[in-house]
Amino acid sequence: MLARSGSRPGGYALLAVAAAVSTLALIAVGGVVRTTESGLGCPDWPLCHGGLLPPLERAAIIEYAHRTAASVVGLLILWVAAWTLWRRRADRALAVLALASLPLLAVQAWLGKEAVERELPALIVTLHLATGLLLFAVVTLLAALAWLGPRRRRIREPARERLTLVSAWACAVTFAVLIAGSYLVGEGAGPACTGWPGCPEAPIPFLDGSRLHDAHWLHRVTVLLGGGAIAAVAWSATGLGRGAATLRGAAAALVVLYLAQVVLGAANIWTDHSAAVRTAHLALAAALWGLLVAMAVAGRFAPATPEQERAVGSGASGV
């Protein structure tokens, strides 16, 4: 995730990273549920067709797998939060993030229940993804800070501060892209435009009065804005000094992920909205979002130097 100097990451940092990676995987599994139209495979909640185990039906098994994965990820997040508040509460940033994860986790579970009981309305499904992305961001921030260690140092350099600011702005734009895309899918607007990059059914954006065409154009416009934001992050990373190879590599990865996203977005049209393409599209978008969040932290902080580690001593090592 982020480069460290000195001691190896301990169990707490590894657990936090595992929680972040698992949350990303859960978002991808949720994409499978959505693209295979398995959201009502279990029409009740928390049971499935009134039982603890699903019937041997494809949609029920996929939805049940999603709920099982959500339970495991939820327990991981609770474990990280409990460990933080028990052993790391003196680190104010970690404590605040741990506390923030708890209501987000509760709201996410409640929205999942509401989505099923209300038969997947677009607004609830979009809010479910939005809350999941915010939870992923919080867990990613916590993991990034834990990885940097308890003696991380704050870097006050103009180039680093600029990168942090631009990355935060890019996070906001990318969040808007994801939410616009989720709303497009929730409204069933996917087939409304049969071309790319233009829309033959609505050549001029936002003028034909069609809600479905507007949803398509809203997503495409936000994607363009997202491209500008990613380009700004990559450009900011070029101004960093020595010792920032990891950040420059992460910025390059952002550009690659964005270009892959554009191709997958076009492939949605070319493949008649293949479930595999749509799932990959969401998973990569969430990964891009998480990388941006981590960069916002990495631009501001760095691990303690070996000299600082030796000065403090080894008594607090093993984060």
Side-chain angles (χ1 to χ4, degrees):
M1 180 184 291
L2 302 171
R4 282 177 63 103
S5 62
S7 60
R8 294 180 179 179
Y12 173 70
L14 292 174
L15 178 65
V17 171
V21 173
S22 298
T23 305
L24 174 60
L26 179 60
I27 292 173
V29 173
V32 173
V33 172
R34 197 165 186 182
T35 57
T36 58
E37 299 182 352
S38 301
L40 295 178
C42 293
D44 45 350
W45 191 96
L47 301 176
C48 185
H49 291 277
L52 293 176
L53 295 176
L56 296 179
E57 300 172 358
R58 178 173 177 268
I61 292 172
I62 292 174
E63 170 60 12
Y64 189 83
H66 176 232
R67 294 186 187 185
T68 302
S71 299
V72 172
V73 172
L75 289 174
L76 267 177
I77 292 173
L78 288 174
W79 188 2
V80 172
W83 193 338
T84 303
L85 297 175
W86 178 42
R87 299 292 298 275
R88 309 291 185 211
R89 60 182 178 274
D91 190 323
R92 183 175 299 179
L94 291 179
V96 168
L97 290 168
L99 287 171
S101 71
L102 299 177
L104 283 171
L105 183 61
V107 170
Q108 179 71 348
W110 176 75
L111 286 170
K113 168 182 172 294
E114 289 295 302
V116 171
E117 293 185 347
R118 299 190 186 190
E119 299 186 353
L120 308 179
L123 178 59
I124 297 296
V125 172
T126 301
L127 288 174
H128 188 51
L129 176 63
T131 307
L133 291 171
L134 291 176
L135 179 61
F136 178 43
V138 167
V139 177
T140 298
L141 285 172
L142 195 154
L145 291 175
W147 189 267
L148 288 168
R151 293 182 291 277
R152 60 186 177 272
R153 55 198 170 90
R154 189 162 184 162
I155 302 178
R156 300 183 182 279
E157 297 175 0
R160 291 270 190 155
E161 293 177 355
R162 184 166 54 251
L163 178 65
T164 298
L165 180 63
V166 173
S167 296
W169 172 62
C171 281
V173 176
T174 303
F175 185 79
V177 173
L178 282 157
I179 297 309
S182 177
Y183 181 75
L184 183 154
V185 174
E187 287 290 336
C193 286
T194 57
W196 186 92
C199 177
E201 292 78 9
I204 303 177
F206 309 115
L207 289 183
D208 71 344
S210 167
R211 179 168 49 88
L212 300 184
H213 294 154
D214 288 350
H216 253 285
W217 278 115
L218 176 64
H219 182 53
R220 296 184 186 195
V221 169
T222 56
V223 166
L224 285 175
L225 293 175
I230 298 299
V233 172
W235 178 257
S236 296
T238 63
L240 298 175
R242 293 181 177 180
T246 300
L247 284 172
R248 283 192 288 269
L254 283 174
V255 174
V256 172
L257 282 173
Y258 175 79
L259 294 176
Q261 277 297 92
V262 172
V263 172
L264 285 172
N268 274 324
I269 303 293
W270 300 335
T271 63
D272 196 22
H273 303 280
S274 158
V277 172
R278 291 165 63 195
T279 301
H281 193 47
L282 174 60
L284 280 185
L288 190 151
W289 157 259
L291 182 56
L292 273 171
V293 169
M295 282 192 68
V297 174
R300 184 59 62 92
F301 296 97
T305 64
E307 292 77 14
Q308 290 171 323
E309 292 280 359
R310 286 193 292 269
V312 174
S314 60
S317 63
V319 181

